[in-house]
Amino acid sequence: MSTTSTRVYFDNIKRFEDRALFDREYQTMPLSRREKIDRLKSQSDKCLSLGAGVLLKEALQKEGIEDYDVLYTKKGKPYLPGHDDIKISLSHSHEMVMCVISDNNVGCDIELIKPINLNIAKRFFSEEEYNEIIESDNKEQAFCRLWTLKESFLKVTGEGLGLPLNSFKTISDEKYEFFEIDEIEGYKAAYCVEVNYGKEKK
């Protein structure tokens, strides 16, 4: 865990395949989440989006927050109007959703480990990172590990895909800390925290 106050949550969305449960939870979501769900075409994507919303709701309840909405910057970074002291990040993949709440800017990503196309790795990673993948005994895990680290960094900076994945390497420094989570079978997850957020440098 970071030295800042950061909380990490995971959940499996399989239960939302039950339409009655889906509909009940959907009605508890803030308007922005319901609109987001409505824009999705496949039911599996709707379940993932609902699951992320439910996980965030439960995490915020632990912070004592019951009334909230989620808005997004032009680059897609979520924030809570009226709760500037709380930063959030959400991610989902296959049947898992992830939520991170922190006092500082934060970004997270979770990915299902699956077969990879090495051409994609060559395109999106630096030469050093690509070599790390092809030399690994488990290329799929190595690929997912780097991908989640990079995505978490893009989310914490708010750059989204505006910053090419092969233009930077994920290294903890005095401004950003990276954390990897391996205990979820079949998945890789990571989050990144801006540790000096809101602090003046001396």
Side-chain angles (χ1 to χ4, degrees), residues 19-71:
R19 193 55 195 244
L21 177 59
F22 180 98
D23 290 342
R24 284 199 303 273
E25 290 291 356
Y26 173 89
Q27 294 300 326
T28 71
M29 292 292 98
L31 178 61
S32 60
R33 176 58 58 174
R34 282 182 277 136
E35 290 177 340
K36 191 177 184 72
I37 294 169
D38 291 343
R39 288 194 295 269
L40 297 170
K41 293 183 178 180
S42 75
Q43 189 60 28
S44 60
D45 286 343
K46 289 176 183 288
C47 287
L48 279 169
S49 185
L50 176 65
V54 170
L55 188 60
L56 175 62
K57 179 185 71 172
E58 293 172 350
L60 290 176
Q61 285 174 342
K62 293 180 180 179
E63 306 294 321
I65 298 174
E66 298 284 349
D67 186 19
Y68 69 94
D69 201 357
V70 181
L71 298 182

Side-chain angles (χ1 to χ4, degrees), residues 71 90 99 116 200:
L71 298 182
L90 297 166
C99 172
I116 62 168
E200 293 184 1

Side-chain angles (χ1 to χ4, degrees), residues 44-149:
S44 60
D45 286 343
K46 289 176 183 288
C47 287
L48 279 169
S49 185
L50 176 65
V54 170
L55 188 60
L56 175 62
K57 179 185 71 172
E58 293 172 350
L60 290 176
Q61 285 174 342
K62 293 180 180 179
E63 306 294 321
I65 298 174
E66 298 284 349
D67 186 19
Y68 69 94
D69 201 357
V70 181
L71 298 182
Y72 294 83
T73 66
K74 290 182 179 180
K75 293 185 177 181
K77 187 174 177 64
Y79 65 95
L80 300 172
H83 300 283
D84 295 339
D85 57 329
I86 294 180
K87 311 301 177 183
I88 63 172
S89 185
L90 297 166
S91 182
H92 52 67
S93 178
H94 193 52
E95 293 182 350
M96 293 298 299
V97 291
M98 177 180 186
C99 172
V100 180
I101 293 180
S102 181
D103 299 338
N104 290 4
N105 274 331
V106 65
C108 74
D109 190 51
I110 185 169
E111 297 291 340
L112 175 70
I113 299 171
K114 57 187 177 182
I116 62 168
N117 183 334
L118 288 176
N119 290 328
I120 295 177
K122 194 169 187 178
R123 176 184 174 190
F124 286 105
F125 295 127
S126 67
E127 182 177 356
E128 179 182 341
E129 291 166 335
Y130 175 72
N131 290 334
E132 180 181 337
I133 291 170
I134 63 174
E135 292 169 6
S136 172
D137 292 334
N138 191 321
K139 295 177 177 57
E140 290 78 11
Q141 286 195 21
F143 177 92
C144 282
R145 173 181 177 269
L146 288 170
W147 188 278
T148 57
L149 288 168

Side-chain angles (χ1 to χ4, degrees), residues 6 23 84 142 150 166 186 192:
T6 302
D23 290 342
D84 295 339
K150 283 176 172 285
N166 60 2
C192 178

